[in-house]
Amino acid sequence: MGKNHVSKLALALRRELQVFGSSVRSISTETKGGVLTSNQAEKAQKLVSEVQTRGAAQVATMTKTQQALPTMTRVIVPSIETNVFGAVSMVSENTVLQEGVYQNADGLRHEDGRYAAFIEEITSFIPEQRQYTDALRTFAYGTDASFYRLNPKLVVKVHSEEDIRKVLPIAVKHQVPVTFRAAGTSLSGQAITDSVLLKLSHTGKNFRNFTVHGDGSSITVEPGLIGGEVNKILAAHQKRGNHPIQYKIGPDPSSIDSCMIGGIVANNSSGMCCGVSQNTYHTLKDMRVVFVDGSVLDTADPVSCKTWMDSHTQLVDGVLSLARRIQADKELSGLIRRKFAIKCTTGYSLNALVDFPTDSPIEIIKHLLIGSEGTLGFVSRATYNTVPEWSNKASAFIMFPDVRAACQASSILRNETAVDAVELFDRASLRECEANEDMTRLVPGMRGADAMAAGLLIECRGQDAAALTAKIFWEVTRSLARSGLPFGPNATTAMTVGDFPFQHNPAESKIFWDVRKGLIPIVGGAREAGTSMLIEDVACPVDKLADLMIDLIDMFQRHGYHDASCFGHALEGNLHLVFSQGFRNKEEVQRFGDMMEEMCYLVATKHSGSLKGEHGTGRNVAPFVEMEWGAKAYDLMWELKELFDPEYVLNPGVILNKDPDAHMKFLKPSPAASEIVNRCIECGFCESNCPSKDLSMTPRQRITVYREMHRLKTLPSASVAESSSVSEDQPDTCEWKSASTGAAWVGNNFSGIAKAVPTLLNTVSLIHKITGPKPLLYISRWLNRVSDHYIPVWNPYMPRGAAKLQIPIACTASVPSVGVPRKVVYMPSCVTRMMGPALGDDQTASVHETLMSLFAKAGYEVIIPQNTGALCCGMLFNSRGFADAAAAKGSEMEDALMVASENGKIPIVCDTSPCLSQIKSQISEPALRFALYEPVEFIRHFLADKLEFKKVRDSVAVHVPCSSKKMGIEDSFMKLAGLCSHEVVGSGIACCGMAGDRGMRYPELTGASLQHLNLPKSCTDGYSTSRTCEMSLSNHSGINFRGLVYLIDEATTAKKAPAPHASA
């Protein structure tokens, strides 16, 4: 072992001792009189153990690799600058800038008249209402999930392929670069610009068309559809047509419920289970693409193909020439095949030039567009060959004492089995999982694992149960058992692979995968205030994964990234590196630059990997594309760009960038603003569920604006103009609003107000019956306007008054004399106590009457809390921003429930899901936490086995409220409805937009959200568990939505007691 290597080992051990020393000092400051408590002694012993284990692991690792890092040229950050939008950039040396002169480079695209001319020309077909140049919306819409910030001069909401087809030639004419934006969940800076942003997301029903072909084995989709939506469409198609196989699209990124098809295609996204073989490149059948000259190519249409090729001979000939050159170069074509045998989204999809013969130019061009990040054209439609989604699946979470063993197991699983997914967790990732009680229950030894321990989340799928069992036993378990690898979280405690069984119960497997999908937000939410969360995405051959991962862990420690985690898709050698990074001063930017240089060397050069496995090149690694690919391939990529976009109008600076420091410029800060806001990582996952996304702004957009307002106010020389540049009034459609006085009076007199509401509703309903809907609609609109949205707008589905709540007489006749007593505390919400069915509904009973009927059928004694008429969960106040009043009412509710339930011994049912969620969110008594039930959940677990079901409807729609989704009980809704109806259709709406009563006061909010409600004509009824949501759903669907308890009550009878056995 050489002297340098020994020195490196010594330094590594010294670092560990320094960490240990500081930890011991922190313990010593907590001692009383210099004596360690038992907890502190245990903590100290654990630190000693971790240091010893980690140190030993690092010594072993370095001894095996024995390859010291070469001396790399370090990019020195001489200084940094912050622009008017807060973006931080290193100042490159020897940069000559011409003030005010336009250059087609980030930060240098000054207005010299070209943007005014561009706007004037596009206004002839895109109205001004879809063009945004104000400071507020350009800043909000310009933000994406990456850690880069460029502020567009103009945002255009495009509505159709025709808009794009007309805009692009105008952009070429005026030399105005454009960038396409779908969901904005990409992470590498490929969807931002300081020029023109063409936004196709959140534009209503535009770019959301689809066609499912045949049995679902292929589907044609537009770029504005969310990936998860497409899978739901395919699932509904399979169920409706009773097809033997359910299909899904191949790509399955963890952001699938937020990212859109446009980004999935443009980034060649993959994910946890799809690997390389099922990514967009390998599963896309056809596409329709708009090129920079405005021409359109539909690869599914032979006429379109011929016409386009005839009119673009120079482009076609240029592409074929590149293909011939590469195919004739064995060394280069071999490199390309090796690179794309693993996940790789660095640079362009050069594999298209070797995978297809030169007599198939359309296939080559089609596949070149995949992963091109909007730099070669705009994909307006894509047809996927879908893949089977087998329902028979099981997952296991297996622990290993060190990273190397876990990576070796991954290699064995890849080479010897047909396992479907393998996710790798390093020790830092496991530490984030420890807070999840379900995880620690299912995975033995997760808490207290060794310092270099790792875990593998493995999923197997089978066409049927027998195939699944065979795959688990004969492939996975047997291969791992005979591998000789150590199992378990501790090196000193031997375990076997059998100690980590496969979970066949979907609810248990879901725990594993929910934790995996939530790792990035969990890690990001826990970062230091004022820092950004960065996610790097690398890949290498699986047999090199262990060495790469250990090198990266060591790199992060040396550069001071002590919160860094490494996890990812081990079956594909794909790692996600998550860590916090500040850009607050020159030193932090320098540290980021140093880390990037070393990471790129380790991945691309030392381990022959991909700098981007699935997140796209963007701006983040554009300066390192040549390092990974070499000069020959890199030059070919520039030739490709010149062929498709010779004027560099399409997303310039992305994938290819001649600025070697581009990755350290226009870095997005994350200034500390408030405790809630600081946790946001601006991932955009919230936007797909936000009811106001098509109307005003989303939570992410509001948060980024709030942060910027806070930053501007803290500037020492901030003028009033600067501080107000992004603080213009926003449409008040957000759920939250500041508290106001007067709410306390309403809370104190709530009983009287609640009693008066049914009379008022019945009076309004009578007027509706006599005069028809128009007078009420006009009057309520006027009152809503003059009261500043305080008075709701009436609609024909507004409820009649609810019947008076009847306190039940104790039911004892059918209650069993043995076993668990059939008692329940029923807390009817104030909404159901006040609001009954709508005037046109054939149901006349109130929710509480219907639920009482179900309790009686099941033989339950019902207890109503004392003084129910005055009780409210507080949501009515919370939705208007009256936080103090909400807390007071919540406290009253908690006290009443404690008494009624005998301190949580008796289960409690609240008939309105959002109200139950509100109660759960504010209770302080742990005894109540596990006693509270939503009505559907209680019926499924406690009443269903005591009832006889029959199907009383042909087709019904079910809307699961947001609160029920958060509680994870969507499946209960569908299963119970399925017992009562031959067909059950989901509403397909993430959030109806009611937000308490806000949707009644801002009807445009529910209108924006429910414009996507598209129920089949066969649906005759709709069901949910929130009266206010049901009103809005009824208004926008034209069918009556009501509580699911109505359907269950109609479809059930009391189960007959079994006949007694005859005596012998």
Side-chain angles (χ1 to χ4, degrees), residues 664-685:
M664 290 194 287
K665 293 181 178 178
F666 305 101
L667 301 164
K668 180 170 69 178
S670 183
S674 77
E675 187 177 348
I676 295 176
V677 166
N678 292 346
R679 294 200 297 268
C680 176
I681 59 175
E682 299 186 10
C683 61
F685 285 12

Side-chain angles (χ1 to χ4, degrees), residues 351 550 874:
N351 46 339
I550 292 167

Side-chain angles (χ1 to χ4, degrees), residues 274-332:
C274 84
V276 173
S277 62
Q278 294 181 356
N279 63 16
T280 296
Y281 182 92
H282 288 101
T283 59
L284 189 124
K285 182 180 181 181
D286 281 298
M287 67 167 59
R288 188 173 170 92
V289 57
V290 183
F291 292 95
V292 73
D293 62 355
S295 63
V296 177
L297 168 64
D298 185 345
T299 67
D301 181 359
V303 175
S304 173
C305 291
K306 184 179 186 309
T307 302
W308 186 86
M309 285 196 298
D310 288 345
S311 61
H312 291 77
T313 54
Q314 184 176 352
L315 172 56
V316 173
D317 290 345
V319 169
L320 293 179
S321 174
L322 287 176
R324 292 189 190 98
R325 283 162 52 192
I326 291 175
Q327 291 177 19
D329 187 330
K330 292 184 179 180
E331 181 182 359
L332 182 56

